[in-house]
Amino acid sequence: MTAIPDNWHLLHSAADIAQRVAQMGAQIRRDYAGKPLTLLVVLKGSFIFAADLCRAIDLPMHIEFMALRSYGDETTTSGVVQITLDMRFPVENTHVLIVEDIVDTGLTLDYLRQNLVLRRPASLRLVSLLHKPSRTVRPVTIDYLGFEVPDHFIIGYGLDNAGQCRNLPDIGYIAP
Ligand code: IMP
């Protein structure tokens, strides 16, 4: 059973999310038709989103994984980004679409983009399920966005609360 905190409030139900992911998948399919596509999944938070999104994009693709760390068990960023798992697949000349769960301060994505540009992909874009615009420190272009969310700690659908609640099917926030 998922340990949902008492002060958790629903933002997007599983049905809302499924509908939005299907729309995003259809748009990505149109944009990438005929191009060699690599979905780069940023672990851990985006694993559920990526699993649904890749099945909503009816195109041939590679799926690669990286893990980045910018948070411990706290709800505020440390500002320090570290690659804890890198991909071995050479992305040179492929169209890389980064799959992220949430852009909060933008520090993680800014760091990742700078790193990936050096690997010479044919193109580099970002799909993020969520964006917390009020927290931006480094502005990041989100090419495909699921939902904007308020400045609260978000959990569910892959996003964790101190390692828990990733398996919650809905997205919600913890009231301050
Ligand atoms: P950023 O570098 O501040 O943009 O944050 C990047 C990462 O922090 C995200 O990919 C998440 O893994 C994590 N994160 C940021 N905000 C939240 C949140 O509200 N809930 C859960 N994880 C978050």
Side-chain angles (χ1 to χ4, degrees):
M1 179 124 144
T2 309
I4 305 174
D6 291 340
N7 53 348
W8 181 88
H9 298 277
L10 178 72
L11 275 176
H12 297 288
S13 68
D16 285 355
I17 301 166
Q19 192 181 31
R20 188 73 191 107
V21 170
Q23 290 167 348
M24 294 166 89
Q27 191 186 348
I28 292 167
R29 183 194 187 284
R30 285 194 294 275
D31 293 353
Y32 285 89
K35 295 177 179 168
L37 173 62
T38 300
L39 279 197
L40 173 56
V41 180
V42 182
L43 297 173
K44 294 179 186 173
S46 63
F47 79 108
I48 292 180
F49 173 46
D52 287 342
L53 183 70
C54 71
R55 288 175 292 174
I57 305 171
D58 184 15
L59 288 176
M61 65 176 72
H62 282 277
I63 302 181
E64 293 294 323
F65 299 91
M66 285 180 76
L68 299 168
R69 221 186 109 135
S70 63
Y71 272 68
D73 277 351
E74 292 139 30
T75 56
T76 52
T77 182
S78 62
V80 177
V81 182
Q82 185 191 358
I83 295 179
T84 56
L85 173 76
D86 206 342
M87 60 182 161
R88 297 174 74 182
F89 181 73
V91 293
E92 189 165 352
N93 296 329
T94 76
H95 295 272
V96 176
L97 181 57
I98 303 168
V99 183
E100 182 61 295
D101 54 350
I102 184 166
V103 176
D104 185 4
T105 63
L107 289 166
T108 306
L109 257 299
D110 185 61
Y111 178 90
L112 180 60
R113 266 183 192 274
Q114 289 184 39
N115 182 289
L116 292 175
V117 161
L118 301 175
R119 307 183 196 198
R120 300 171 166 279
S123 70
L124 186 59
R125 285 187 178 175
L126 169 64
V127 51
S128 183
L129 178 66
L130 305 174
H131 183 210
K132 245 189 243 178
S134 53
R135 299 250 311 154
T136 303
V137 173
R138 298 270 164 77
V140 171
T141 302
I142 303 175
D143 301 283
Y144 307 93
L145 174 65
F147 305 103
E148 273 193 9
V149 290
D151 183 10
H152 293 311
F153 197 71
I154 311 292
I155 60 171
Y157 196 66
L159 288 91
D160 73 311
N161 181 28
Q164 292 287 319
C165 300
R166 291 193 197 276
N167 58 329
L168 190 62
D170 309 308
I171 292 171
Y173 68 92
I174 299 180

